[in-house]
Structures are given as structure tokens and as C-alpha cells.
Amino acid sequence: MKLKQEFQSQIQQILPAEAEAFFQSLNTDSPTSIRFNPFKNYSTRLEGEPIPWAENGIYLTERPTFTLDPAFHAGTYYVQEASSMVLEQVIKQTVDLNKDLLVLDLCGAPGGKSTHIQSLLSNGSLLISNEVIKSRANILAQNITKWGLPNMVITNNDPSHFDRLNVQFDVIVVDAPCSGEGLFRREPEAMNEWSPDAVKLCATRQQRILADIWPALKPGGVLIYSTCTYNSLENEDNLKWLQEQMDAEGISLD
């Protein structure tokens, strides 16, 4: 994989002692991991090493052909990268899951985080899973239908629309559209689309999304912001901007 020099320089600043190991890792295969549906059982359960931060997540030793497995189509597990499953720890450390909560997954497609969140919530909670792009909203609906749990609503709206509901959410998850740096190993073509200008454009769009959805967060509620990028512009800098513009307060995690 040929990495752009601007990207290499960025990583060398973030990981001065580990940059070369990071670059080498991009030429290796991504580990395959799945997360079981805790509300469904089946006889030929896949086995693997447990993922420490996800109660129902495991690493598989090899990647099977999931589309040939009836259990996959029945929604007994979801194929998801292990790093995404850290959301479970963030929610468990910041939210009282014994309470009935109103939760919004703002950028929900294809459904990994939504199905994960839904598996953690109480029966009396409600999850709104939203996707602004119509075609991706259809994929989201398919995956959530396979997961098979109630108390979930799928929407296809712009973030600015939620202010019209006149309701506020206990938890909002914003897994924001980004420049895709975390996809380089899995989707090498994403490297060709990356540029410093694309990073700046994404950071500006992310700020617009955060500003639009902030009024829908209940006072004292929790907003969880994530991207699949490494640069500070789309991550730490945007959180600093949110603190300055919206008077948000950071939450420490173990």
C-alpha cells in the first residue's frame, strides 16, 4: 500500500515511536470479529477468543463465508470490527442502564452500533436509529430487522430535523462521516480519496452535525462522538470546539 506523504507525516506526529509498526500493520489482514445477539441462541455457535471490552464479542481465527450461514441471516450475530465494540464500555461507564432511556444513534447505518446499543438497553427504553442517506437507511432497516428486537425506530432524517420533535434524548451517539483513515487496511481505495483538504471538509461537516443535534440532547445527557480517523482535526479539535461553542463538559473513562 502506497501511503500519501501528508498522511505519513500526520501519523509520525501522532505516533512518533510506533509509526513504522503502524504503517506495516496496514499491509496485514484485519482480524475478523463478531458480536452475538444475546437474545437469540443457535446450535452451531461460532467460537473464538473473547474481546475484553465487549461481553458478547469474539475474534474468529479465520473469516468464514458469512452469507452461507443461516444463523447470520437469522440475526444471531453481527460481523463488526472489535474496535467499534468499545462503545459498550463507553455506555456502561456513563449511563445508568437500569433506567428506561431515550437514545438516538444519529448516523446509524449499516447498523453495528445500533444493534449493539439496543442489546444493552432496558426493555422500557427506546432507540431511534437514524441514517440521512436513503439507500443506507434501507440497509440499516434490513440489519435491524434481522436483529429482531422491539423498542427501536428507524428514521431517514437530517440531523437538523430532530429539533422539531420537541423531545430530548438521554444519550446521542454520533459516529460521524469522516475521511476514513481507519478504513485504509480494509478498503485500500479509501487511501486514494484521502487528502488534507478532505480532512478539513469532513471536520467542518462534523461540526455542522454536532451543532444541529446538540439541542436534542437533554441537559445532563451524554453525547458520544466517534470517527474512524486518527487526525486531531476530526477528533480532539472538534471536541474542543464543542466544549467552547456548546458549553459541553468532557467525561473521563477508565
Side-chain angles (χ1 to χ4, degrees), residues 3-241:
L3 299 171
K4 296 183 179 180
Q5 185 57 51
E6 297 97 332
F7 178 74
Q8 292 187 53
S9 298
Q10 171 185 292
I11 294 298
Q12 286 165 345
Q13 289 180 347
I14 299 172
L15 300 170
E18 299 173 292
E20 287 307 314
F22 172 84
F23 296 143
Q24 291 174 19
S25 75
L26 295 181
N27 293 313
T28 64
D29 292 332
S30 298
T32 300
S33 49
I34 63 172
R35 179 175 41 77
F36 291 111
N37 188 332
F39 302 99
K40 292 186 177 182
N41 294 306
Y42 65 107
S43 57
T44 56
R45 186 181 176 97
L46 293 170
E47 297 182 352
E49 292 296 321
I51 296 171
W53 49 88
E55 184 176 352
N56 293 297
I58 63 169
Y59 289 107
L60 301 179
T61 55
E62 60 183 17
R63 187 179 184 88
T65 305
F66 292 113
T67 53
L68 299 181
D69 184 2
F72 168 75
H73 296 287
T76 58
Y77 62 87
Y78 193 100
V79 183
Q80 185 179 26
E81 291 199 1
S83 58
S84 295
M85 300 183 201
V86 78
L87 175 65
E88 178 174 320
Q89 291 301 317
V90 177
I91 290 176
K92 285 181 174 179
Q93 292 185 35
T94 59
V95 178
D96 184 354
L97 291 171
N98 293 314
K99 293 182 177 179
D100 293 339
L101 302 170
L102 183 60
V103 181
L104 171 63
D105 185 7
L106 185 64
C107 312
K113 288 184 173 63
S114 285
T115 55
H116 199 172
I117 296 165
Q118 215 280 345
S119 299
L120 300 172
L121 298 178
S122 66
N123 291 335
S125 296
L126 178 66
L127 172 64
I128 309 296
S129 184
N130 178 73
E131 174 55 47
V132 68
I133 300 172
K134 181 65 175 177
S135 60
R136 285 173 57 82
N138 291 332
I139 296 170
L140 173 65
Q142 293 171 14
N143 285 328
I144 286 177
T145 299
K146 285 195 297 185
W147 202 246
L149 300 181
N151 60 317
M152 184 183 289
V153 176
I154 301 163
T155 56
N156 172 217
N157 288 82
D158 186 82
S160 61
H161 296 171
F162 284 91
D163 195 31
R164 304 177 195 170
L165 285 176
N166 293 321
V167 297
Q168 290 183 308
F169 294 88
D170 299 289
V171 181
I172 297 177
V173 177
V174 181
D175 185 31
C178 65
S179 61
E181 296 169 358
L183 303 178
F184 291 171
R185 180 164 65 168
R186 193 179 72 197
E187 301 175 16
E189 62 273 14
M191 179 76 258
N192 297 326
E193 300 173 5
W194 183 93
S195 70
D197 286 340
V199 170
K200 294 176 183 177
L201 181 65
C202 287
T204 301
R205 179 173 57 186
Q206 290 152 0
Q207 289 181 2
R208 195 273 294 179
I209 291 171
L210 290 171
D212 283 347
I213 203 60
W214 185 257
L217 183 66
K218 183 181 296 184
V222 175
L223 185 142
I224 301 170
Y225 174 77
S226 63
T227 72
C228 57
T229 57
Y230 309 110
N231 68 79
S232 59
L233 202 62
E234 296 181 74
N235 294 296
E236 291 90 344
D237 290 358
N238 269 348
L239 292 182
K240 291 177 183 176
W241 174 88

